[in-house]
Amino acid sequence: MSLSNPSQVLLRNSELLIAEAPLLINLPEDGFIDALIALNKPESIHCFNTNYIDYQAITKKNDGAKRQGIHATFASTYQTKTCHDLVIIAFPKSKAELTFTLAMIAHCINETTKILLVGEKKGGIQSAPKLTKDLLSCCQKVDAARHCLLFAGLFQPEKLSVVFNLQDWFKKYQITVEGVELTIASLPGVFSQQKLDTGTALLLSNLPDKMSGKVLDFGCGAGVISCFIGKKHIDTKLYLLDVSALALTSAQESLALNGLSGQVFPSNSLSDVSEKYQHVVSNPPFHQGVKTHYEASEDFLAGINKQLNKQGSITIVANSFLRYQPIMQAHIGNTRVIAKGKGFTIYQAQLSSK
């Protein structure tokens, strides 16, 4: 894989990368780790990723992260006893997630730790100095190239407590849909963090009248769909899948707040799906970072037939411009449009007899 533009910008500034125990936060596996080792030969490299796809790529490239000195973590929060002298953060799509990330690592950095923020200009990284003015000192732009910006600063430890409490970061809100009352908890960076989005609201109003058995919530986000189904259809067993560790932790919290249980697990599309389900429901994601990304959702629709029970059904909501119906028709069976509204369409298909 060729180096991404942000990685190329980092390597243009090699003097900033000298460190014994760097922490890379949400950087992809694009060859940058190899370049960093060749440049500096650090004692250890710690890779923290909230995206399961990136984590999988790092562990696969580095023999399950067992290559000497490389430590990979997939989680919603980072815990370590190492004090890092360099932290490189891929600027997140959600600005609130940046503050969350800096608070999360306060326990493992000090006032001499270099903090580098890198990202594409269209991702909003220009706002980095303003966003970090109360957390970082001397956060300054040090490079601009390849449509990317690089900022460097130092941590101000007195500004954040080293005791990080995850509960403080959940946004919680109540919704009532079809007479079902729910409390939803969501961490920064999770889709629809503070209110029920229009597409999901339409989906919840157009699910099958009767549901029982195993239900897969693909791209579960904060768990709104599963919580609704679990409350309304008590004979269901919930399975919640997402690529984001922040989403999975949010979904687990939402289930608990509503007195529900479910199996919550990460997967790259259907990579880690092994069960067969009676119902699949989804507001499938089509954004990866700041880019529009359809492949995972299309792979999901093309392959989900293998995970459906006989007469199993799938119901999804999608932006009306997305051409999902032909894919569902070809791979699952007869696909109906059962509702439209506010730019969204609800598709429902039942597995064809084999």
Side-chain angles (χ1 to χ4, degrees):
M1 181 184 293
S2 59
L3 285 166
S4 64
N5 286 340
S7 292
Q8 291 180 48
V9 172
L10 284 167
L11 291 171
R12 278 165 49 103
N13 296 271
S14 57
E15 71 282 359
L16 295 176
L17 304 181
I18 305 302
E20 293 185 358
L23 169 62
L24 314 182
I25 298 181
N26 287 326
L27 268 64
E29 173 48 76
D30 61 356
F32 177 75
I33 295 174
D34 289 336
L36 187 60
I37 292 172
L39 172 72
N40 183 34
K41 294 183 174 58
E43 291 184 6
S44 63
I45 297 177
H46 297 251
C47 304
F48 173 78
N49 291 84
T50 59
N51 183 291
Y52 190 59
I53 299 173
D54 292 334
Y55 168 76
Q56 279 187 317
I58 291 169
T59 54
K60 182 178 180 180
K61 173 72 178 293
N62 297 287
D63 298 321
K66 294 179 182 178
R67 191 164 63 159
Q68 185 174 4
I70 297 178
H71 309 273
T73 302
F74 170 76
S76 56
T77 59
Y78 179 68
Q79 296 294 324
T80 186
K81 293 182 179 179
T82 300
C83 183
H84 297 289
D85 49 352
L86 169 66
V87 178
I88 304 174
I89 303 173
F91 192 81
K93 180 180 178 182
S94 164
K95 295 177 181 178
E97 189 179 339
L98 178 60
T99 305
F100 171 85
T101 300
L102 290 170
M104 176 188 69
I105 63 173
H107 73 285
C108 62
I109 59 179
N110 58 36
E111 63 275 7
T112 66
T113 302
K114 291 177 290 185
I115 308 290
L116 303 183
L117 305 174
V118 65
E120 297 183 4
K121 290 180 181 178
K122 63 182 179 181
I125 192 172
Q126 295 95 325
S127 61
K130 181 179 179 181
L131 291 173
T132 62
K133 63 183 176 63
D134 295 327
L135 304 174
L136 301 181
S137 62
C138 307
C139 183
Q140 298 179 343
K141 182 173 68 175
V142 295
D143 200 1
R146 296 170 174 82
H147 308 290
C148 297
L149 294 175
L150 175 64
F151 289 86
L154 295 174
F155 187 56
Q156 299 186 73
E158 71 278 5
K159 297 294 186 179
L160 278 174
S161 169
V162 295
V163 178
F164 178 81
N165 184 0
L166 183 64
Q167 285 294 325
D168 294 340
W169 294 88
F170 283 109
K171 294 286 188 182
K172 298 177 182 178
Y173 59 94
Q174 284 73 41
I175 58 173
T176 301
V177 184
E178 302 290 304
V180 177
E181 296 181 358
L182 301 172
T183 300
I184 304 301
S186 187
L187 290 171
V190 177
F191 175 69
S192 192
Q193 190 196 7
Q194 300 189 47
K195 64 179 181 178
L196 179 64
D197 65 283
T198 302
T200 299
L202 185 65
L203 175 64
L204 297 182
S205 298
N206 289 279
L207 290 174
D209 292 332
K210 295 181 180 181
M211 300 179 74
S212 61
K214 295 179 180 179
V215 178
L216 175 66
D217 182 353
F218 178 87
C220 64
V224 176
I225 296 172
S226 285
C227 288
F228 175 83
I229 293 172
K231 283 270 195 174
K232 188 171 183 179
H233 304 282
I234 60 174
D235 292 329
T236 54
K237 187 173 182 180
L238 304 172
Y239 293 77
L240 296 78
L241 169 166
D242 207 285
V243 74
S244 164
L246 297 171
L248 295 173
T249 300
S250 300
Q252 193 71 66
E253 183 72 9
S254 295
L255 288 171
L257 288 171
N258 291 285
L260 299 167
S261 62
Q263 183 175 327
V264 179
F265 63 101
S267 185
N268 174 5
S269 189
L270 296 171
S271 67
D272 289 58
V273 176
S274 58
E275 301 275 354
K276 285 187 177 288
Y277 306 94
Q278 191 60 35
H279 300 280
V280 175
V281 292
S282 182
N283 183 350
F286 63 94
H287 285 90
Q288 180 82 0
V290 298
K291 298 179 181 179
T292 302
H293 184 85
Y294 306 100
E295 185 177 354
S297 295
E298 292 180 355
D299 288 348
F300 151 66
L301 293 173
I304 194 61
N305 60 331
K306 301 180 183 66
Q307 310 303 144
L308 286 171
N309 288 330
K310 185 177 181 181
Q311 300 301 309
S313 72
I314 175 172
T315 308
I316 73 166
V317 61
N319 292 73
S320 295
F321 66 83
L322 296 173
R323 298 281 295 163
Y324 286 164
Q325 187 173 14
I327 300 173
M328 296 172 67
Q329 188 80 35
H331 294 278
I332 303 168
N334 181 46
T335 302
R336 300 181 297 131
V337 173
I338 59 174
K340 286 187 175 184
K342 298 182 180 180
F344 292 92
T345 300
I346 307 295
Y347 301 106
Q348 192 172 88
Q350 189 170 47
L351 187 65
S352 300
S353 299
K354 296 181 180 179

